[in-house]
Amino acid sequence: MKLIKGIKMKRLYTITEETKIIRKNDSAYYRSHIIETTKEEPSPYSPTQIINLNCKKYGSTLDGRKEVVSDILKSSSKLPIPVVPQRGIFMIPTASVTSEKCIWVSYHQIKDYDESDDKTIIFFQDGTSTFLNVTPNIFDNQFKRSSQVVVHFFRHTIFGEGPTRW
């Protein structure tokens, strides 16, 4: 536990290969709900705080990662974030990161996705699924943008080119 402005705060959640989703929680104390392959847990930190603090833990900031991805995609909105690129952990936002509706989905946890009543159903590697209140076209675009970023970071592995700097 850590003390922030006189309040005991739960230790920061560490994003790992097990993380599937980080979403906003409508609670006065628990600001996020995290879904992993084996458990679910609330967090007093907002999704953006969790992403930012994990980026810092692994050598950058959310703004730093956004800047790199913005250069790769030639875009500045709804950017996928390489949280721990060395381990292949990339998070896909379903909306603008400032939006209350933004849900972060782990790229490598997605097995497939499809349309269901103008929403998107995500099928995860572990056989579970969830509905997202985002159109399939928007999610498909976000997934493809994330794929571009993943290829950029792993170009040296895929194509045998020189090493990429993280």
Side-chain angles (χ1 to χ4, degrees), residues 131-145:
F131 285 95
L132 299 178
N133 196 16
V134 62
T135 67
N137 286 342
I138 289 174
F139 189 80
D140 184 57
N141 189 45
Q142 285 302 98
F143 187 80
K144 288 174 180 170
R145 288 162 40 100

Side-chain angles (χ1 to χ4, degrees), residues 5-22:
K5 294 182 185 174
I7 301 171
K8 262 189 183 177
M9 294 291 283
K10 186 177 175 185
R11 189 173 46 86
L12 173 69
Y13 173 78
T14 299
I15 298 172
T16 69
E17 291 85 355
E18 299 292 312
T19 307
K20 294 193 304 188
I21 287 180
I22 302 172

Side-chain angles (χ1 to χ4, degrees), residues 98-113:
T98 58
S99 170
E100 295 289 312
K101 297 177 183 178
C102 182
I103 297 172
W104 292 88
V105 183
S106 177
Y107 177 86
H108 77 277
Q109 284 286 349
I110 298 168
K111 183 174 185 175
D112 199 4
Y113 54 94

